[in-house]
Amino acid sequence: MKALITGITGQDGSYLADLLLEKGYDVFGMVRRSSTENFERINHIRDKLTLVYGDLLDQFSILRIIDEIRPDEVYNLAAQSFVPMSWRQPILTGEFDALGVAKVLEAIRQIDTGIKFYQASSSEMFGKVVEVPQNEKTPFYPRSPYGVAKVYGHFITVNYKESYDIFAVSGILFNHESPRRGLEFVTRKVTDGAARIKLGLANKLALGNLDAKRDWGYAGDYVRAMWMMLQHEKPDNFVIATGESHTVGRLCEIAFAHLDLDYKEYVVTDPRFVRPAEVEEL
């Protein structure tokens, strides 16, 4: 089996590559050419992967890669994935997270409709939730340019599945974390901040809405769910979550207590980190 992973250098891409290599796949990772390489998360498996250069903004590079590799499965994990940044770069977020999905699907349609396709959808599509908990049939109400772009990516995947009989699925994944998570995400921001305070390298940690509630799982488990979706007898969309939600404040309490610290003495709310349109509970 051959698999192509876009976004292989990210948290999910690296864990998925680990999993597929364990299962005996030939793994290809699409990366963007840049002046500085950021392969930290895949350095331990670099000699087992084949990296190919391409870009979700470049239709021709995607066509070339899929034509040359002829993968059995494509996992589209590449995205502008930091929600706060989507307000600063809404157009670029749409180019990557919405139109980028259509470009990969269009390449599959032109080259081989037998290729299975996984789209990384997001719980941020639910946004201002209309019911708790959310399921596969809950209406979307995105509250960020990121969430809006992901809704397009989700439904263009459904459309290509229904229009061209492509085995295309969307995994609606809730927040999932790991030691490989970027420091800009709140879980790592909290653990890194707590460690710095404990070591005397900082004295405060500035965060946004401490009352926001999220469902946090482990990325290693969630990439297994991605693979399982493509092994399902028919293409379908699935919500992946733990079923438990906790506030950011509770996350701070646990992390700081692990270091024998009281988070209330160190954590401050900074308006800069409060979203223009807040998602209170996922």
Side-chain angles (χ1 to χ4, degrees), residues 20-66:
L20 296 180
L21 287 170
E22 288 174 11
K23 294 186 177 297
Y25 279 67
D26 289 334
V27 177
F28 297 80
M30 189 177 89
V31 296
R32 285 191 292 164
R33 174 85 61 183
S34 66
S35 57
T36 57
E37 293 185 340
N38 181 25
F39 296 157
E40 178 183 341
R41 296 183 181 96
I42 57 171
N43 275 337
H44 64 292
I45 51 174
R46 272 293 298 277
D47 60 335
K48 301 175 183 177
L49 303 170
T50 302
L51 298 182
V52 292
Y53 289 98
D55 197 312
L56 285 186
L57 302 183
D58 179 10
Q59 178 78 75
F60 294 108
S61 69
I62 298 168
L63 280 162
R64 174 182 51 77
I65 288 168
I66 292 179

Side-chain angles (χ1 to χ4, degrees), residues 239-256:
V239 167
I240 307 299
T242 70
E244 289 186 22
S245 61
H246 302 275
T247 65
V248 174
R250 176 65 174 150
L251 166 66
C252 293
E253 181 182 356
I254 292 171
F256 277 78

Side-chain angles (χ1 to χ4, degrees), residues 123 134 172-175 215-217 222 238-244:
S123 60
Q134 297 90 60
I172 306 172
L173 273 54
F174 278 68
N175 296 59
D215 181 319
W216 284 296
Y222 284 38
F238 295 89
V239 167
I240 307 299
T242 70
E244 289 186 22

Side-chain angles (χ1 to χ4, degrees), residues 34-215:
S34 66
S35 57
T36 57
E37 293 185 340
N38 181 25
F39 296 157
E40 178 183 341
R41 296 183 181 96
I42 57 171
N43 275 337
H44 64 292
I45 51 174
R46 272 293 298 277
D47 60 335
K48 301 175 183 177
L49 303 170
T50 302
L51 298 182
V52 292
Y53 289 98
D55 197 312
L56 285 186
L57 302 183
D58 179 10
Q59 178 78 75
F60 294 108
S61 69
I62 298 168
L63 280 162
R64 174 182 51 77
I65 288 168
I66 292 179
D67 187 40
E68 289 177 357
I69 297 172
R70 298 290 175 131
D72 299 285
E73 299 171 354
V74 173
Y75 295 85
N76 185 42
L77 310 185
Q80 191 299 100
S81 58
F82 188 45
V83 178
M85 185 57 68
S86 72
W87 275 282
R88 291 178 173 268
Q89 295 185 311
I91 309 304
L92 186 66
T93 299
E95 292 277 2
F96 276 122
D97 299 5
L99 293 180
V101 185
K103 290 173 183 174
V104 179
L105 283 164
E106 180 59 17
I108 290 172
R109 183 190 72 81
Q110 291 190 35
I111 292 167
D112 182 1
T113 57
I115 296 171
K116 292 184 175 183
F117 176 78
Y118 172 85
Q119 166 60 13
S121 287
S122 168
S123 60
E124 286 286 336
M125 300 189 305
F126 294 124
K128 188 176 181 180
V129 297
V130 298
E131 62 183 2
V132 178
Q134 297 90 60
N135 60 50
E136 291 83 357
K137 298 189 184 305
T138 301
F140 298 135
Y141 193 148
R143 296 268 283 173
S144 66
Y146 170 84
V148 172
K150 281 291 187 179
V151 169
Y152 177 98
H154 178 85
F155 278 120
I156 199 68
T157 300
V158 172
N159 185 256
Y160 268 70
K161 175 182 72 174
E162 296 178 350
S163 301
Y164 304 115
D165 197 30
I166 294 171
F167 193 112
V169 305
S170 286
I172 306 172
L173 273 54
F174 278 68
N175 296 59
H176 44 286
E177 314 301 318
S178 77
R180 300 181 192 175
R181 187 65 136 156
L183 288 175
E184 70 272 22
F185 291 90
V186 70
T187 46
R188 288 296 311 283
K189 190 173 181 181
V190 168
T191 56
D192 180 73
R196 288 178 180 278
I197 290 169
K198 182 69 173 181
L199 293 170
L201 301 175
N203 53 24
K204 293 292 180 185
L205 174 62
L207 297 173
N209 181 8
L210 298 183
D211 295 322
K213 298 181 75 173
R214 294 292 184 271
D215 181 319

Side-chain angles (χ1 to χ4, degrees), residues 261-274:
L261 299 173
D262 181 355
Y263 82 99
K264 293 180 181 177
E265 296 180 13
Y266 304 99
V267 175
V268 296
T269 300
D270 189 326
R272 291 180 301 156
F273 300 124
V274 176

